[in-house]
Amino acid sequence: MTGSAVPEDVDLERANVARMYDYWLGGACNFAVDREHADRIEASNHTARHAARSNRTFLRRVVRSCLARGIDQFLDLGSGVPTVGNVHEIAPDARVAYVDHEAVAVAHSREILAGIDRASVTQADLADAEAVLTAPGVADLLDFSRPVAVLAIAVLHYVPGDLTALLAPYRARLVPGGVLAISHVSDEQDDPDLADRIRAAAEVFRGSANPVTLRSRAELAAPFEGLAIDAPGTVDVTDWPDARPDVVPVGMYAVCAALTTASPTAPPSTPPAPPAS
């Protein structure tokens, strides 16, 4: 690993998914244990590296779609190590609040974002929505009285529990025009070979700091009930927003949806002061 000294609370005995993704994306913020575990996962599912890069492509497409809607605020949950092509680079004039629980990802993010007043990084567990939404890096940067895009790309399958309940506090903060977008691995696949490889990779993840929770398409669709889901609906990340039959699917579903009517459960929001120029 290059860059800053390793934070004291980093577990160097177990692989971490944020650092494994960094390795698959060609970054330098990873350790031998991460590379070894990532290689084992890739041996069980040869599309693992392709999946990481396809999710990064999906992220870019979602952000550009949000910009086209006029959204200029993003809450990126489980943002990981900020390798090339992160939200603040795709949308340089937008406000971007990154949130991750992994110490190396957060430390490196703070280095990269130093001096960028329109972006922040918060170390928090996305499952603790109250801690995330009240953190200064989120509450003082984003104006939830205006549309915000909440992104949870390739992260929710590392968080156990009911997905609808997990996302409910974030959805409740959306105002009309706001967007919720996720990508999530699933073994509910039309291709039985892909389904088997997804399950095999999930088994390898059990030995990491981030075991995988596989969810069905119905479970992935449930948090979006009542929202306007973008075409083409729930599809492999490689096929969003347009089908690409020449690209190998990776077994991760993408969903992007907008709130079109006011939510009765959304709490009032006090707009933060604009960032210093």
Side-chain angles (χ1 to χ4, degrees):
M1 175 182 169
T2 61
S4 301
V6 179
E8 291 183 1
D9 58 345
V10 170
D11 182 357
L12 298 179
E13 300 299 319
R14 291 195 299 171
N16 178 274
V17 68
R19 304 192 304 260
M20 284 189 283
Y21 262 79
D22 176 69
Y23 168 59
W24 280 327
L25 292 171
C29 296
N30 51 78
F31 305 104
V33 64
D34 306 308
R35 296 188 288 274
E36 291 166 5
H37 211 85
D39 288 342
R40 286 179 56 207
I41 290 168
E42 199 166 3
S44 65
N45 180 9
H46 67 267
T47 58
R49 188 182 301 263
H50 171 44
R53 294 177 177 179
S54 295
N55 270 285
R56 182 50 58 101
T57 299
F58 171 59
L59 172 68
R60 287 197 296 269
R61 291 175 174 171
V62 165
V63 171
R64 288 168 182 161
S65 173
C66 290
L67 293 173
R69 303 171 198 245
I71 296 176
D72 61 357
Q73 302 187 104
F74 296 87
L75 175 59
D76 189 352
L77 301 172
S79 51
V81 178
T83 48
V84 174
N86 263 43
V87 180
H88 72 280
E89 294 182 335
I90 306 165
D93 296 325
R95 298 182 184 187
V96 182
Y98 293 113
V99 177
D100 204 283
H101 192 247
E102 208 277 321
V104 170
V106 171
H108 198 65
S109 296
R110 286 176 176 155
E111 280 190 358
I112 288 178
L113 298 176
I116 302 177
D117 55 18
R118 288 185 171 271
S120 68
V121 59
T122 296
Q123 185 169 9
D125 184 349
L126 69 85
D128 187 352
E130 178 67 17
V132 170
L133 293 168
T134 59
V138 175
D140 294 347
L141 183 67
L142 302 182
D143 177 0
F144 284 96
S145 70
R146 298 193 301 107
V148 173
V150 178
L151 311 175
I153 310 301
V155 64
L156 294 170
H157 40 257
Y158 302 113
V159 185
D162 181 77
L163 192 62
T164 299
L166 179 69
L167 290 174
Y170 299 105
R171 174 174 165 167
R173 297 301 299 269
L174 296 180
V175 299
V179 164
L180 175 63
I182 72 170
S183 66
H184 194 297
V185 71
S186 173
D187 61 343
E188 186 178 333
Q189 304 290 334
D190 294 333
D191 178 355
D193 178 65
L194 176 57
D196 287 344
R197 287 190 280 110
I198 292 293
R199 296 184 194 109
E203 283 299 314
V204 179
F205 264 105
R206 290 186 187 278
S208 76
N210 308 96
V212 168
T213 296
L214 298 175
R215 295 183 173 98
S216 68
R217 291 187 62 162
E219 289 175 292
L220 302 186
F224 294 88
E225 184 177 354
L227 300 182
I229 297 178
D230 288 357
T234 304
V235 296
D236 195 269
V237 292
T238 59
D239 288 329
W240 195 96
D242 302 305
R244 295 191 292 167
D246 56 326
V247 179
V248 176
V250 298
M252 286 199 186
Y253 288 117
V255 191
C256 181
L259 179 68
T260 57
T261 58
S263 170
T265 60
S269 175
T270 302
S277 58

